[in-house]
């Protein structure tokens, strides 16, 4: 662990974005020139060796994802790259930092990914509510075109790269890989059945890679400093630094770039300042709304993909949501399931039917109209929405906080049934 | 008929995609920016321009929550109701907005000044509770701070 913060080191204290000149003065756009001199396979191998795993929530190895894209003279073109900047996972606000603070870093990461898969067209898929990020990314794209870093012969290269900003019009489903592709095609953001995988047949039926903003922002640094350096950033088994965040009733909610594998307790106590005075920790979601609750006994868990999974949850987006003892756990889970039920696209039955049913049951429990049989029904819905029963990860993710809440906060659910009211209201 | 300006803006988007209908969401956003919302007439005009059926376009327009298929006020308030804001005082903020504006979610004030809508997580969780008015994010809100915030929108 070398304590470096490559993703946020060059950002300005006032939060203003780096201009192209400022980004270059800090060493920017050197890595892409280096990547242009490498064979695509060599870039993919380097990224595989670095151990980079996707920062959007699923943690899929980035190099492995790229390796399925057909290369060379026989490959179909145009090939596409999409930066997933549709940050809408409740409790997650990390990509906003990168988009607003250093948009050129994202663009350079996209250029490098485009080299690796020989992409011709790239889109930044940005959620509509990120209006400041939209202005800054748009400006950075214009600067990059003006400098000749995008367009027909970027940096004098043979292969061109067009890069556009697409501002979305809402819906959580747009952040799902294949939902995003449908949204970019101007359709409803329903998921697609896989196979075919997007790497082979994605946007407009052409090979496509969809990659989270933070993942892409890592790429210039991996190209510049190498795989071993990237491993050295981490304290855990997974490589790199990581953007972590905390929200809820902690003393200092915020965002920090820290070594991957920073223990949960250190994140909560040292960085977020612990809970506000007079409050006690009941539990937390380690990586956004669609991750299982962890509790006090998990505070020594290293916040990397491998260890959080061993603890029964997922690293997800790495932004923790803290539940204190003055907030009702049943109410919190109701709020989460209300979100997921609303955002279900309606494509498959376990999701549209199961999640709304769960939300109705939780609403009843919260109002003091629940019974023990409702808890059995909720347990059944958790199984009904398990991976494999649905087209995409929305419903399986949605029931992670529900299933774990039934396990860790059983007594609180029972109190609602016994007292026929919410004890917190 | 789409106005000249609307057509020009949509045409610029068309260059970014291999198919006309792929620009449907961009086109809806553009027309909404000029007209405030998407009426049935607007929908038909856009559909014709993109060579889509109006029904196809409506299935897209009704899917995305930032496309308004009903008239809205001069300013749209998007109140975050997701988990971090819920923990940090969303309910009080909502109650106060209902009281001050005299409207519920999905409604517009009688003077046409504000429409109030719920929105999913705005990605401002470390400064919860939060809301947006038009293009602006307002953070670290309390019911008392609402007067000052609303005053900026006439």
């Amino acid at each position: 662990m070398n304590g470096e913060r490559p993703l946020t080191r060059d950002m300005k204290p006032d939060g203003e974005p780096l201009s192209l000149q400022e980004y270059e003065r800090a060493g920017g756009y050197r890595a892409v020139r280096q990547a242009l001199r490498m064979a695509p396979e060599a870039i993919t191998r380097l990224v595989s060796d670095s151990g980079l795993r996707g920062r959007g929530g699923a943690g899929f190895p980035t190099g492995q994802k790229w390796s399925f894209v057909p290369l060379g003279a026989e490959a179909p073109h145009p090939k596409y790259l999409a930066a997933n900047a549709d940050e809408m996972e409740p409790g997650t606000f990390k990509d906003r930092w990168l988009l607003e603070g250093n948009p050129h870093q994202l663009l350079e990461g996209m250029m490098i990914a485009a080299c690796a898969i020989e992409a011709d067209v790239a889109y930044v898929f940005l959620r509509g509510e990120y209006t400041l990020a939209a202005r800054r990314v748009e400006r950075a794209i214009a600067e990059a075109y003006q400098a000749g870093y995008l367009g027909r012969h970027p940096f004098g290269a043979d292969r061109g790269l067009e890069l556009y900003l697409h501002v979305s019009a809402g819906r959580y489903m747009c952040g799902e890989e294949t939902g995003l592709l449908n949204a970019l095609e101007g359709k409803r953001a329903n998921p697609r059945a896989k196979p075919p995988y997007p790497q082979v047949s994605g946007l407009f039926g052409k090979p496509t890679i969809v990659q989270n903003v933070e993942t892409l922002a890592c790429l210039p640094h991996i190209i510049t400093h190498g795989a071993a350096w990237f491993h050295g950033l981490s304290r855990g088994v997974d490589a790199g630094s990581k953007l972590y965040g905390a929200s809820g009733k902690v003393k200092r909610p915020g965002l920090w770039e820290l070594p991957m594998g920073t223990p949960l307790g250190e994140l909560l106590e040292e960085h977020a300042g612990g809970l506000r005075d007079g409050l006690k920790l009941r539990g937390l979601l380690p990586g956004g709304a669609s991750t299982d609750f962890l509790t006090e006994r998990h505070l020594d868990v290293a916040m990397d993909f491998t260890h959080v999974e061993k603890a029964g949850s997922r690293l997800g987006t790495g932004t923790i949501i803290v539940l204190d003892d003055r907030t009702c756990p049943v109410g919190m889970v109701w709020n989460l399931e209300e979100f997921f039920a609303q955002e279900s696209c309606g494509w498959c039955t376990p999701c549209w039917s199961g999640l709304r049913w769960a939300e109705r049951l939780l609403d009843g429990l919260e109002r003091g109209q629940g019974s023990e049989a409702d808890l059995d029904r909720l347990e059944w819905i958790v199984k009904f929405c398990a991976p494999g029963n649905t087209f995409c990860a929305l419903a399986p993710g949605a029931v992670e906080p529900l299933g774990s809440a039934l396990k860790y906060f059983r007594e609180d659910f029972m109190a609602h049934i016994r007292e026929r009211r919410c004890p917190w209201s | 008929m789409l106005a000249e300006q609307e057509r020009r803006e949509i045409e610029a988007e068309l260059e970014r995609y291999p198919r006309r209908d792929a620009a449907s969401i961009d086109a809806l956003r553009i027309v909404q920016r000029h007209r405030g919302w998407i009426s049935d007439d607007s929908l038909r005009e856009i559909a014709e321009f993109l060579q889509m059926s109006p029904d196809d376009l409506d299935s897209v327009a009704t899917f995305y929550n930032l496309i308004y298929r009903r008239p809205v006020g001069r300013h749209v308030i998007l109140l975050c109701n997701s988990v971090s804001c819920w923990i940090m005082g969303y309910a009080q903020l909502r109650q106060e907005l209902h009281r001050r504006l005299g409207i519920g979610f999905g409604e517009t004030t009688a003077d046409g000044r504000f429409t109030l809508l719920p929105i999913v997580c705005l990605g401002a969780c470390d400064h919860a509770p939060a809301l947006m008015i038009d293009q602006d994010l307002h953070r670290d809100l309390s019911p008392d701070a609402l007067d000052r915030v609303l005053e900026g929108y006439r």
Side-chain angles (χ1 to χ4, degrees):
Chain A
M1 177 184 69
N2 53 25
E4 286 183 62
R5 298 181 297 112
L7 300 182
T8 56
R9 178 192 61 207
D10 298 324
M11 288 192 197
K12 298 182 189 175
D14 63 1
E16 286 294 312
L18 276 74
S19 68
L20 186 137
Q21 285 76 19
E22 289 166 331
Y23 181 64
E24 292 205 291
R25 268 204 296 278
Y29 288 120
R30 284 184 209 160
V32 62
R33 287 180 168 92
Q34 202 176 324
L36 279 162
R37 293 192 297 268
M38 297 166 70
E41 295 88 344
I43 302 173
T44 298
R45 201 175 321 119
L46 173 59
V47 171
S48 289
D49 290 347
S50 79
L52 176 63
R53 294 176 65 172
R55 306 302 201 226
F60 194 82
T62 305
Q64 195 185 337
K65 186 191 254 189
W66 297 355
S67 70
F68 300 117
V69 176
L71 294 175
E74 302 294 306
H77 281 274
K79 284 191 258 183
Y80 294 100
L81 168 75
N84 189 344
D86 196 59
E87 182 165 72
M88 219 180 287
E89 177 75 16
T92 300
F93 46 107
K94 67 183 184 71
D95 293 335
R96 179 196 281 278
W97 195 13
L98 299 172
L99 291 159
E100 292 180 353
N102 199 352
H104 280 290
Q105 178 175 248
L106 168 65
L107 298 190
E108 188 176 14
M110 292 175 72
M111 293 172 192
I112 291 165
C115 288
I117 62 162
E118 298 181 325
D120 310 276
V121 182
Y123 297 94
V124 177
F125 190 102
L126 181 70
R127 67 177 296 193
E129 296 89 339
Y130 276 15
T131 51
L132 183 62
R135 290 196 293 274
R136 292 179 174 183
V137 170
E138 190 80 280
R139 189 186 160 80
I141 293 172
E143 286 178 327
Y145 267 105
Q146 207 165 17
Y149 297 173
L150 290 170
R152 273 201 203 155
H153 302 287
F155 305 97
D158 294 337
R159 181 180 303 285
L161 178 65
E162 303 296 339
L163 195 153
Y164 305 117
L165 173 66
H166 172 87
V167 179
S168 182
R171 293 307 290 269
Y172 178 66
M173 266 307 295
C174 296
E176 198 276 335
E177 185 179 45
T178 59
L180 184 149
L181 298 179
N182 278 335
L184 261 180
E185 291 186 8
K187 300 172 182 158
R188 294 163 77 96
N190 296 327
R192 297 177 180 178
K194 294 189 271 195
Y197 288 89
Q199 291 99 318
V200 177
S201 177
L203 190 62
F204 303 110
K206 294 292 198 290
T208 305
I209 288 291
V210 180
Q211 209 82 63
N212 169 261
V213 167
E214 186 185 347
T215 314
L216 290 162
C218 291
L219 296 174
H221 308 288
I222 291 171
I223 297 287
T224 302
H225 301 289
W229 170 86
F230 195 68
H231 279 280
L233 293 173
S234 163
R235 296 167 66 162
V237 291
D238 298 308
S241 63
K242 176 79 191 81
L243 300 190
Y244 294 108
S247 67
K249 291 188 177 164
V250 293
K251 288 203 182 93
R252 290 191 302 273
L255 284 167
W256 309 275
E257 183 181 4
L258 300 170
M260 177 70 89
T262 297
L264 185 53
E266 199 176 307
L267 187 60
L268 181 65
E269 294 299 330
E270 280 181 34
H271 298 282
L275 271 82
R276 288 183 181 178
D277 292 334
L279 297 180
K280 284 201 188 77
L281 177 71
R282 287 300 311 280
L284 53 83
L285 302 174
S290 56
T291 57
D292 288 88
F293 276 97
L294 295 178
T295 65
E296 204 167 21
R297 66 185 173 85
H298 297 111
L299 291 180
D300 58 347
V301 170
M303 284 283 280
D304 59 31
F305 295 104
T306 308
H307 285 102
V308 180
E309 204 169 309
K310 266 190 201 152
S313 186
R314 292 186 306 116
L315 177 64
T317 57
T319 43
I320 67 175
I321 308 165
V322 176
L323 169 66
D324 62 88
D325 63 342
R326 301 274 294 277
T327 300
C328 173
V330 178
M332 178 171 170
V333 177
W334 167 77
N335 174 275
L336 294 167
E337 298 313 317
E338 162 63 19
F339 165 82
F340 288 115
Q342 173 190 299
E343 291 305 313
S344 170
C345 72
W347 191 247
C348 51
T349 306
C351 187
W352 69 256
S353 172
L355 297 183
R356 183 52 73 190
W357 189 14
E359 179 274 315
R360 294 284 77 207
L361 291 169
L362 289 161
D363 184 60
L365 282 158
E366 186 63 2
R367 289 167 190 273
Q369 296 157 2
S371 67
E372 269 190 76
D374 290 340
L375 302 188
D376 296 335
R377 292 184 184 105
L378 287 169
E379 297 276 13
W380 186 85
I381 293 170
V382 171
K383 292 193 188 79
F384 185 48
C385 291
N389 292 350
T390 61
F391 270 85
C392 83
L394 190 147
V399 295
E400 285 181 29
L402 175 58
S404 50
L406 289 165
K407 182 166 72 180
Y408 293 127
F409 308 124
R410 191 93 191 173
E411 183 41 44
D412 300 296
F413 280 91
M414 291 305 291
H416 282 72
I417 296 166
R418 256 193 332 265
E419 297 179 29
R420 306 203 66 75
R421 66 184 188 99
C422 171
W424 278 268
S425 66
Chain B
M1 267 272 286
L2 292 177
E4 183 56 35
Q5 177 68 20
E6 290 169 333
R7 269 208 304 275
R8 260 205 311 274
E9 289 180 35
I10 296 170
E11 265 158 13
E13 293 294 333
L14 288 174
E15 287 173 21
R16 304 173 169 202
Y17 307 101
R19 289 205 321 250
R20 282 183 86 79
D21 57 355
S24 64
I25 295 156
D26 308 271
L28 288 163
R29 284 179 56 95
I30 287 166
V31 172
Q32 180 168 287
R33 195 160 59 230
H34 289 285
R35 306 182 186 186
W37 65 294
I38 301 294
S39 67
D40 289 351
D41 284 341
S42 298
L43 192 86
R44 274 192 291 271
E45 290 161 26
I46 302 166
E48 191 184 351
F49 190 68
L50 296 178
Q51 295 159 14
M52 299 172 71
S53 82
D55 287 341
D56 267 353
L57 185 63
D58 203 16
S59 84
V60 174
T62 52
F63 185 87
Y64 293 92
N65 54 293
L66 296 177
I67 302 297
Y68 307 136
R69 286 288 278 117
R70 282 198 283 164
V72 292
R74 290 194 298 284
H75 307 288
V76 177
I77 303 173
L78 300 172
L79 177 64
C80 176
N81 65 0
S82 287
V83 62
S84 301
C85 283
W86 182 86
I87 292 171
M88 300 302 287
Y90 149 80
Q92 292 88 315
L93 211 54
R94 173 181 176 174
Q95 214 167 20
E96 189 62 14
L97 277 167
H98 289 336
R99 197 184 65 78
R100 275 176 206 229
L101 302 176
I103 53 172
F105 279 142
E107 295 176 349
T108 301
T109 53
D111 61 0
R113 187 173 159 207
F114 288 116
T115 295
L116 180 63
L117 296 172
I119 192 78
V120 298
C121 184
L122 288 171
C125 320
D126 51 344
H127 293 279
L131 59 75
M132 279 187 88
I133 305 181
D134 303 335
Q135 305 293 301
D136 313 322
L137 180 66
H138 299 277
R139 319 182 300 175
D140 297 309
L141 290 171
S142 62
D144 297 337
L146 279 176
D147 264 342
R148 180 182 47 77
V149 171
L150 295 177
E151 237 167 64
Y153 302 87
R154 284 285 141 197

